[in-house]
Amino acid sequence: MSGPNILVVMADQLAPHFTGAYGHPLVQTPALEALAERGTRFDAAYCHSPLCAPARLSMLSGQPVSAIGAWDNAAEFPASVPTLAHGLLLAGYRTILSGKMHFVGPDQLHGFDERLTTDIYPADFAWTPNWDESDARIDKWYHNMDSLSEAGQALATYQIDYDEEVGFAAVRRLYDLARDPDERPFFLVASFIHPHDPYVARPEWWSLYDHDDIDLPEPMPDHALDPHTRRIRRGIEADTVGYSTDQCRNARHGYYANTSYFDSWVGRLVQVLDETGRIDDTVIIATSDHGDMLGDRGTFFKMSFFERSARVPLIMAGPGIANRSVANVCSHLDLLPTLLDIATSGGARPKLGAPVAGRSLWELATGGTDPVDETTGEYMAEMTSHPIFMIRRGRHKYIHCDTDPPLLYDVVADPAERTDLADDPDSADLAAAFAAETAQRWDSTEIRERVLHSQRSRRVLHAAVESDTSLSWDYSPVRDAADEYVRTHMDWAEAGPRSRFPRLD
């Protein structure tokens, strides 16, 4: 018996803290809340790496960044790495991608046998960081305070254009799947760019919120900031160009508005499943690639392992899924084995070669228990010169970088992460155990050398081909207009009934 259909809806840069589904008193996310009300909400889900491409590539492969070289937003994703899409193909699924996945390199499919849109960001090596000059300001392609000074309303932006295309293509494909006599189950990913900065929203979403009601982040004194946060603040110009309270409120207003916009697409896709009679045989998963600090610690965007940057929403609903919330720590590394369990009803999974780092969450999603309550993270991109590692186990989170003092937090008692326990005498044994585990788990020096070698090579390659604009890895959707709607080679009387849903008796 074939497994259920699977629909994954992804946001970009959406922290669960800023959704009604996870308890924010202001942000309106009715579609996510409806999924949570009939499904399972994971309350301690993390990305593996808090940056777009590394987060997505580790999610797709079920492997850590250091295992596949997905260092940053310009790291090539090797075609030889098996993905969850390959696994679902082997399990008999049609695999379809609409929207962003930030593939870098000539392979722009990675197991998806259909891709409905192009990507929104470049597929080449243009965005390669430079640890050889890690203190130098990145200009052309890096975040800065323009995202706050430009926050507000607009009728159209490239992000709105993109998400309208992503949503339209996904909706249309769901109708096509319903009209198609092919009975194979489908795996469809609809991946949107919102609420990613620059925090510009259409008026109808902006007007959902009273500007004066927008909450502001809890202040934190500069002297209490860790070195990596200071580097991020310098890199995004938060401590030079700076921003005002009004700009921070504008940014949050735009972010909340665009979160509601993303949520509306979740609702629309669920509506189509309902209309086409597929809602009862489709597992729906809503998540994001990473979060957004949104002013916490005086910084914005992502790139750190603090909760608002590294935590992600993860909600599952559909056949067999229990109505509950789950406190176990988990991450995107767990999605590959989870999806393969869904596809095979817990039977023998397709073999994908290399072992995956995560474990299946299917037992938890279906009402069972799991003794595992931990995950790990890696960051090797901008605003650092050495790898940063994270271990979250139970209520504690440990963060290590060779150049910085370690950080240790009890995120249950201290969810805002204001009290660093690394130097607390009462936590000395715990901090020492985490430090020893980090040294045993990762060879930071060896990983750093690999990152530097990759960056240097990619910068050379990018410089060599930069002037040749005829060569591009950017994905161009395949579309044959000569075979759409009604054409000469078609029988007009058959084209209408064939495309109609529901079909006429």
Side-chain angles (χ1 to χ4, degrees):
M1 185 176 73
S2 64
N5 303 307
I6 303 171
L7 171 66
V8 175
V9 191
M10 283 193 74
D12 195 319
Q13 209 162 290
L14 177 58
H17 310 77
F18 304 118
T19 68
Y22 281 83
H24 194 283
L26 186 64
V27 184
Q28 300 176 41
T29 53
L32 291 175
E33 291 163 42
L35 288 180
E37 286 170 2
R38 67 181 182 90
T40 295
R41 187 189 71 188
F42 291 85
D43 290 347
Y46 289 81
C47 64
H48 173 70
S49 189
L51 192 67
C52 297
R56 293 162 183 271
L57 306 186
S58 57
M59 178 191 76
L60 287 169
S61 65
Q63 298 192 54
V65 163
S66 57
I68 57 175
W71 313 117
D72 51 62
N73 277 342
E76 182 178 3
F77 189 29
S80 57
V81 175
T83 70
L84 55 85
H86 290 114
L88 290 169
L89 278 174
L90 291 171
Y93 278 68
R94 289 176 285 182
T95 58
I96 307 157
L97 171 61
S98 181
K100 177 183 175 178
M101 203 49 72
H102 213 140
F103 294 143
V104 173
D107 184 354
Q108 289 292 305
L109 293 176
H110 291 285
F112 289 98
D113 55 7
E114 293 180 58
R115 191 166 181 187
L116 308 181
T117 73
T118 189
D119 216 311
I120 194 167
Y121 291 148
D124 59 19
F125 298 145
W127 292 5
T128 303
N130 186 356
W131 282 10
D132 288 315
E133 299 178 11
S134 58
D135 290 332
R137 161 71 192 159
I138 303 169
D139 285 319
K140 181 178 179 181
W141 50 267
Y142 199 62
H143 295 274
N144 59 37
M145 290 297 98
D146 287 351
S147 288
L148 275 73
S149 63
E150 296 173 3
Q153 302 180 61
L155 295 176
T157 66
Y158 74 88
Q159 290 178 293
I160 295 171
D161 292 346
Y162 188 74
D163 277 356
E164 290 293 304
E165 180 182 357
V166 171
F168 170 82
V171 165
R172 183 170 181 175
R173 193 67 186 95
L174 285 176
Y175 281 123
D176 286 343
L177 290 165
R179 292 182 288 210
D180 192 336
D182 188 337
E183 295 184 354
R184 287 179 299 161
F186 65 79
F187 169 58
L188 171 62
V189 177
S191 183
F192 298 86
I193 186 65
H194 285 95
H196 192 290
D197 62 290
Y199 314 125
V200 178
R202 278 188 56 88
E204 63 267 29
W205 301 108
W206 182 276
S207 64
L208 284 179
Y209 300 94
D210 186 321
H211 191 65
D212 293 336
D213 289 342
I214 302 297
D215 55 320
L216 292 172
E218 178 185 330
M220 187 171 184
D222 288 350
H223 67 80
L225 299 177
D226 62 284
H228 184 56
T229 295
R230 292 177 183 274
R231 290 192 296 267
I232 295 173
R233 283 178 51 81
R234 184 174 66 250
I236 66 174
E237 299 182 323
D239 63 354
T240 52
V241 173
Y243 61 91
S244 67
T245 299
D246 286 343
Q247 288 174 330
C248 182
R249 180 172 276 115
N250 273 343
R252 285 188 158 223
H253 193 156
Y255 185 93
Y256 294 176
N258 284 330
T259 296
S260 294
Y261 169 65
F262 163 74
D263 183 80
S264 74
W265 276 116
V266 176
R268 178 72 178 110
L269 293 167
V270 172
Q271 177 189 11
V272 175
L273 289 174
D274 191 27
E275 290 174 345
T276 55
R278 313 300 285 271
I279 194 72
D280 292 331
D281 62 1
T282 302
V283 170
I284 304 165
I285 300 174
T287 190
S288 177
D289 53 357
H290 50 73
D292 191 322
M293 293 297 284
L294 213 60
D296 187 40
R297 284 177 155 75
T299 189
F300 289 79
F301 321 127
K302 52 271 187 175
M303 301 166 288
S304 79
F305 281 112
F306 291 112
E307 290 289 278
R308 283 157 183 77
S309 170
R311 278 269 309 279
V312 295
L314 181 60
I315 301 172
M316 299 183 187
I321 296 177
N323 181 210
R324 66 189 305 209
S325 61
V326 170
N328 296 59
V329 176
C330 60
S331 83
H332 281 156
L333 294 176
D334 304 321
L335 278 183
L336 185 150
T338 302
L339 290 176
L340 294 186
D341 272 357
I342 293 171
T344 59
S345 301
R349 301 177 193 162
K351 297 185 182 302
L352 294 183
V356 297
R359 90 279 192 184
S360 174
L361 303 177
W362 191 234
E363 181 69 19
L364 287 170
T366 53
T369 60
D370 181 359
V372 180
D373 190 23
E374 64 181 25
T375 196
T376 61
E378 303 175 352
Y379 180 79
M380 292 91 166
E382 301 90 13
M383 296 304 111
T384 185
S385 60
H386 289 69
I388 302 176
F389 307 113
M390 183 272 286
I391 302 172
R392 168 76 199 272
R393 180 173 295 120
R395 62 191 300 136
H396 292 103
K397 180 196 293 182
Y398 182 79
I399 303 171
H400 170 88
C401 180
D402 288 351
T403 62
D404 305 335
L407 301 172
L408 176 63
Y409 298 98
D410 180 339
V411 296
V412 175
D414 177 27
E417 298 167 295
R418 293 299 191 260
T419 304
D420 178 12
L421 302 175
D423 293 326
D424 179 5
D426 292 339
S427 302
D429 290 345
L430 180 62
F434 272 125
E437 179 179 348
T438 300
Q440 185 275 330
R441 185 184 289 269
W442 290 286
D443 185 338
S444 183
T445 300
E446 184 269 342
I447 292 174
R448 183 173 189 270
E449 287 304 313
R450 290 168 58 202
V451 173
L452 284 166
H453 173 74
S454 173
Q455 289 179 356
R456 291 163 183 163
S457 298
R458 285 181 283 147
R459 290 200 302 272
V460 170
L461 294 172
H462 179 64
V465 302
E466 189 173 20
S467 61
D468 188 349
T469 57
S470 64
L471 298 175
S472 173
W473 289 334
D474 297 307
Y475 185 71
S476 295
V478 177
R479 179 173 176 178
D480 184 6
D483 204 35
E484 293 181 347
Y485 304 112
V486 178
R487 296 293 184 261
T488 302
H489 64 283
M490 301 177 185
D491 185 327
W492 177 86
E494 294 178 358
R498 185 175 60 248
S499 64
R500 183 166 175 162
F501 187 89
R503 292 187 181 277
L504 293 172
D505 294 332

